Amino acid sequence: MDLELQPLNLPSDNPRPFVIAGPCSAETEEQVITTAKQLKKLGCHMFRAGIWKPRTKPGGFEGNGEAALPWMKLVKEETGMLTATEVATPEHVELALKYGIDILWIGARTSANPFAMQALADSLKGVDVPVFVKNPVNPDLELWIGAMERINQAGIKRMAAIHRGFSSFDKKIYRNLPMWQIPIELRRRIPELPIICDPSHIGGRRELVAPLCQQAMDLGFDGLMVESHCSPDNAWSDAKQQVTPDVLDYILGLLVVRDETVTTEGIHELRKQIDELDNNLMDLLAKRMRVCREIGQYKKEHNMTILQTGRYNEILDKRGAQGSLCGMDSDFIKEIFEHIHEESVRQQMEIINQK
């Protein structure tokens, strides 16, 4: 299904990126107003803060709830900024709209649950408000698109996707793995859908916010949602990933925003070379698969198992090392050959099981 979308028409000094900034949580009225005024002074037009904070484990600060909504209303009255917050239940939607919240976003835990998404969609029928949907915690593009389709079918036409990365067991660098290929595929499928990057949740550390913002711009993302706090080290939630408004202003000032549309004859020629090389790769893969089928026939005739673990490990190790020598990441090469091996096994299975 294609999403029926209308332009967001959000206030911004630049076509790209538009920026939504503010603290992870609305902690106190003073903290909210102080942060908002600092951001407004630096030119920010949209203020975000978490009113309800779903925590991984109980016992942490889970937001002030409805008590914090008047503070958001005050932000709009005193600064003129639009306000945005996360909603996870129909009750959240009702209260946010009651207090004049301008933009709603749906978090990663909620977007992973079709029941919750349908309940939110039902509560949004007849409402005209921008709704942003974060990617699910797991790397499932269809689930992400399905979540947005439910909201869109409820009549919400001003929408955007928020890329906040994907949960993983291995957290050596990022809090949530970027897995850029997933929002890239989303852009290919729904090119008119704005995509916003949330570098705070991807990185999990404030020193990663700047490079992640730049990566998002290099990939043509439309906006940024960045957690900014007047006193980040004293934040009640996610302190390590928040930056001060001044630091955010510095990060945005250094961003290089490249043109998405300009092309030249030179790049057309280079793309022609890429197409020729891709055709050569396809020919080589086809030849490799023909040899694999011959091996499958040999295994069938000699009653051999398809999977030869020693040989498989040898291929991965050799090709990974070869990739490093050729200036490519060894893990990238190994992943390619894992997929090639998977297709080889599939084709050999067909041959062995032929009657």
Side-chain angles (χ1 to χ4, degrees):
M1 168 192 162
D2 293 328
L3 298 181
E4 296 181 24
L5 299 173
Q6 294 175 355
L8 290 174
N9 294 326
L10 298 177
S12 177
D13 292 331
N14 302 300
R16 188 170 70 91
F18 60 82
V19 179
I20 305 170
C24 172
S25 304
E27 300 162 0
T28 66
E29 181 177 336
E30 181 184 6
Q31 169 250 4
V32 166
I33 299 300
T34 299
T35 305
K37 286 183 175 179
Q38 290 178 6
L39 288 167
K40 177 62 178 179
K41 186 178 179 182
L42 296 169
C44 188
H45 302 288
M46 289 171 279
F47 181 79
R48 57 139 291 154
I51 304 299
W52 301 275
K53 297 300 300 179
R55 312 311 297 168
T56 301
K57 294 181 179 179
F61 175 61
E62 297 190 338
N64 284 302
E66 185 177 1
L69 285 168
W71 310 339
M72 299 290 277
K73 192 173 182 181
L74 197 58
V75 165
K76 187 154 62 169
E77 291 171 356
E78 294 198 4
T79 69
M81 300 169 76
L82 296 186
T83 55
T85 198
E86 178 179 349
V87 293
T89 69
E91 182 188 11
H92 293 170
V93 172
E94 181 182 354
L95 287 170
L97 296 176
K98 175 183 173 183
Y99 285 89
I101 297 293
D102 301 288
I103 301 164
L104 308 179
W105 84 80
I106 298 169
R109 291 178 175 90
T110 309
S111 65
N113 184 338
F115 293 105
M117 288 305 305
Q118 190 58 54
L120 287 173
D122 292 342
S123 71
L124 286 163
K125 286 181 179 177
V127 175
D128 181 19
V129 63
V131 177
F132 302 162
V133 182
K134 288 195 174 187
N135 61 260
V137 290
N138 49 312
D140 188 335
L141 179 57
E142 300 305 327
L143 192 59
W144 194 3
I145 292 175
M148 290 185 281
E149 285 179 346
R150 291 178 188 275
I151 299 299
N152 192 232
Q153 287 178 359
I156 300 296
K157 301 294 191 291
R158 291 186 290 160
M159 296 185 66
I162 302 177
H163 175 50
R164 50 79 78 188
F166 301 91
S167 296
S168 69
F169 179 74
D170 183 5
K171 299 183 186 294
K172 289 181 181 176
I173 300 176
Y174 300 107
R175 177 180 177 182
N176 295 294
L177 294 177
M179 299 184 71
W180 298 108
Q181 68 272 23
I182 293 179
I184 288 171
E185 176 62 13
L186 177 64
R187 171 56 52 86
R188 187 189 72 80
R189 298 249 207 117
I190 315 175
E192 68 276 17
L193 177 71
I195 303 181
I196 301 166
C197 182
D198 178 350
S200 306
H201 279 90
I202 293 175
R205 304 199 309 272
R206 60 179 64 106
E207 61 267 26
L208 293 176
V209 170
L212 285 165
C213 286
Q214 186 60 61
Q215 282 182 275
M217 290 302 97
D218 292 344
L219 290 170
F221 279 45
D222 302 280
L224 300 167
M225 179 181 275
V226 186
E227 292 191 349
S228 182
H229 192 294
C230 58
S231 180
D233 290 332
N234 297 314
W236 296 2
S237 59
D238 289 346
K240 292 181 180 179
Q241 67 191 40
Q242 300 190 65
V243 298
T244 64
D246 282 337
V247 168
L248 175 59
D249 186 55
Y250 178 74
I251 290 170
L252 297 175
L254 292 178
L255 274 186
V256 177
V257 182
R258 296 176 174 85
D259 199 301
E260 298 177 271
T261 57
V262 174
T263 58
T264 66
E265 189 60 31
I267 201 168
H268 286 307
E269 289 302 314
L270 291 169
R271 284 172 175 167
K272 282 173 63 177
Q273 291 182 41
I274 289 288
D275 288 339
E276 291 174 11
L277 290 168
D278 285 346
N279 289 333
N280 292 337
L281 280 173
M282 292 300 294
D283 288 340
L284 287 171
L285 277 174
K287 290 175 183 176
R288 191 186 194 281
M289 290 304 162
R290 282 198 293 272
V291 175
C292 286
R293 289 195 292 273
E294 291 178 17
I295 292 173
Q297 186 63 41
Y298 183 91
K299 289 175 179 176
K300 180 178 181 179
E301 292 170 358
H302 293 80
N303 201 31
M304 296 171 63
T305 60
I306 289 177
L307 187 60
Q308 305 287 318
T309 307
R311 171 63 176 160
Y312 180 41
N313 290 334
E314 179 188 351
I315 289 173
L316 291 184
D317 291 341
K318 279 186 177 179
R319 299 301 172 247
Q322 197 175 356
S324 294
L325 291 173
C326 294
M328 292 178 284
D329 184 81
S330 61
D331 290 336
F332 162 70
I333 296 300
K334 285 182 179 180
E335 186 173 346
I336 288 176
F337 275 90
E338 284 172 0
H339 288 296
I340 291 173
H341 182 263
E342 183 180 342
E343 176 61 16
S344 302
V345 167
R346 187 191 68 78
Q347 296 205 16
Q348 289 184 18
M349 286 282 288
E350 284 186 357
I351 290 170
I352 281 185
N353 291 311
Q354 284 175 354
K355 300 269 178 121

